[in-house]
Amino acid sequence: MHLRLGGATARLRLRLALGPPRAERPPRSRPAPAAMSSSPRPADPAGVGVPEGHQLVTEGQVTMVYPRDENSVFYNPVQVQNRDLSVLMIGVHARMRAERRWSRAKRKELRRAMLQAQRDEVGEDELKNEGKEQRKARAARFERDLTDAVNEAREGVDFDGMTAESAGTDDGMTIFEALAASGLRSLRYWKEVPGVRAIVVNDLDPVAVEMCRENVVRNGLEGALAGQQRQDGGPPVPEAEDNDASDVMKRRNPKQRPPGLHLQVGDATHEMYVSRLPPNVPLDQMNATQRDHQRPQFDVVDIDPYGSAAPFMDA
């Protein structure tokens, strides 16, 4: 906290804020430690077993295995609250995102219906003969009525349910964990955040990606893996395109990532640089660079570096 004070008044305020000198303060008992979302002695839910020299840690809804050697991929208990808040805020974002998408679609639907009703009621000729001020007043009333209609329709919508259901559709979110290490954040997002369609779990270290794969299996999520992980530690082989997908969807978003967990060894900045394709760009409006090298943008990018995040900001 940055505290900037000056003069006698400031010194008085500071003394009142800090209370009496330490020697005058009454003794107080140490409060009990707050409960954390990680468990020091978790059970092994998948029954996989714990390798020698490793430990199990349960955080949120996932159980992870970590080597006891801190020079390798390690578990950082100090960041438990940070990860809890990330899960919470991405969940809030997912709901707000679903609500915005619904609002845009509903507003477009109601606008079309109300414009047609207006034409039927007033008549095309009368609308054409209106003066400038009349037209402005009518447009203002129309927008107010449209907003009221959208708000009225909103009252009966279950946005929480809509968010959860979007995970199985093309409207679900895609998340990129740039520096995944053991994949703890990605697995928590997959199990605890509603509406997640795909997560790209990326790390430059093949050992870390292999540990993430082991933790995926440990948590019973191997069925969520998208594509086959290459034996040479390279990125996963993408799934074949769905030949039954609609032509409209292919034209709208022809490079959409398959649903599921995508484990890959790769450079985080490169992945972000090639993931700049704006959503819903028609195929015929893409230039050669977009068609050949770009993939759709992510809805959420998680960057948790050891040092400064500055090297990743431009990407």
Side-chain angles (χ1 to χ4, degrees):
M1 179 180 68
H2 178 66
L3 183 64
R4 184 176 181 180
L5 298 169
T9 302
R11 287 194 294 272
L12 176 59
R13 290 178 181 173
L14 182 59
R15 175 173 292 183
L16 291 175
L18 296 177
R22 183 175 300 274
E24 300 176 13
R25 294 182 187 176
R28 58 182 180 181
S29 59
R30 183 183 298 274
M36 299 175 67
S37 64
S38 61
S39 172
R41 293 182 179 274
D44 184 6
V48 178
V50 183
E52 185 177 354
H54 290 66
Q55 61 178 335
L56 281 181
V57 176
T58 295
E59 183 178 301
Q61 297 181 18
V62 300
T63 298
M64 311 287 287
V65 62
Y66 289 93
R68 297 186 183 277
D69 180 10
E70 293 189 358
N71 292 325
S72 180
V73 179
F74 64 94
Y75 174 73
N76 186 359
V78 176
Q79 293 297 321
V80 171
Q81 186 179 47
N82 178 287
R83 290 186 289 266
D84 288 345
L85 288 174
S86 296
V87 169
L88 175 64
M89 295 311 298
I90 295 176
V92 171
H93 170 70
R95 189 188 188 283
M96 294 175 63
R97 176 179 177 272
E99 189 171 351
R100 286 196 302 268
R101 294 169 74 92
W102 176 90
S103 295
R104 285 196 297 266
K106 177 58 69 173
R107 194 175 187 88
K108 183 176 181 181
E109 172 191 339
L110 291 177
R111 180 184 295 277
R112 188 182 300 113
M114 291 173 63
L115 283 173
Q116 184 60 49
Q118 186 181 76
R119 287 196 220 57
D120 295 341
E121 180 182 353
V122 180
E124 292 282 356
D125 293 337
E126 185 174 341
L127 289 173
K128 291 179 180 178
N129 294 328
E130 283 184 337
K132 182 178 180 181
E133 295 301 322
Q134 286 181 302
R135 190 176 299 113
K136 288 175 62 176
R138 181 184 293 277
R141 289 196 304 271
F142 180 87
E143 291 300 324
R144 287 196 299 270
D145 293 342
L146 177 59
T147 299
D148 291 341
V150 172
N151 290 336
E152 183 178 352
R154 185 194 309 272
E155 295 178 359
V157 179
D158 178 15
F159 288 110
D160 291 330
M162 180 183 297
T163 303
E165 292 172 1
S166 68
T169 70
D170 293 308
D171 292 334
M173 290 196 309
T174 58
I175 299 177
F176 178 54
E177 187 180 10
L179 311 169
S182 65
L184 173 57
R185 287 176 178 269
S186 290
L187 297 190
R188 288 197 62 183
Y189 296 158
W190 185 259
K191 296 194 74 171
E192 301 176 38
V193 177
V196 177
R197 180 181 184 274
I199 301 179
V200 176
V201 190
N202 179 85
D203 201 279
L204 196 59
D205 184 359
V207 175
V209 175
E210 184 57 32
M211 179 179 295
C212 180
R213 174 174 290 277
E214 294 173 3
N215 283 316
V216 167
V217 174
R218 186 174 299 278
N219 286 275
L221 298 175
E222 57 267 35
L225 288 173
Q228 298 293 324
Q229 183 74 23
R230 288 181 3 192
Q231 296 300 317
D232 60 359
V237 179
E239 290 181 345
E241 290 188 4
D242 184 3
N243 294 326
D244 296 330
S246 68
D247 291 337
V248 174
M249 179 57 65
K250 287 182 179 180
R251 288 197 301 271
R252 190 183 73 178
N253 206 345
K255 294 185 176 182
Q256 191 172 43
R257 293 176 179 84
L261 294 168
H262 301 250
L263 274 57
Q264 66 178 39
V265 178
D267 180 82
T269 54
H270 172 75
E271 184 67 28
M272 288 186 281
Y273 274 125
V274 299
S275 299
R276 293 185 167 187
L277 192 63
N280 303 330
V281 175
L283 186 61
D284 58 359
Q285 293 183 13
M286 296 182 190
N287 58 42
T289 300
Q290 290 175 325
R291 287 195 302 269
D292 298 338
H293 304 291
Q294 290 290 306
R295 291 191 283 271
Q297 295 173 349
F298 294 102
D299 296 292
V300 176
V301 174
D302 182 301
I303 300 176
D304 182 24
Y306 287 112
S308 172
F312 305 96
M313 291 297 100
D314 182 64

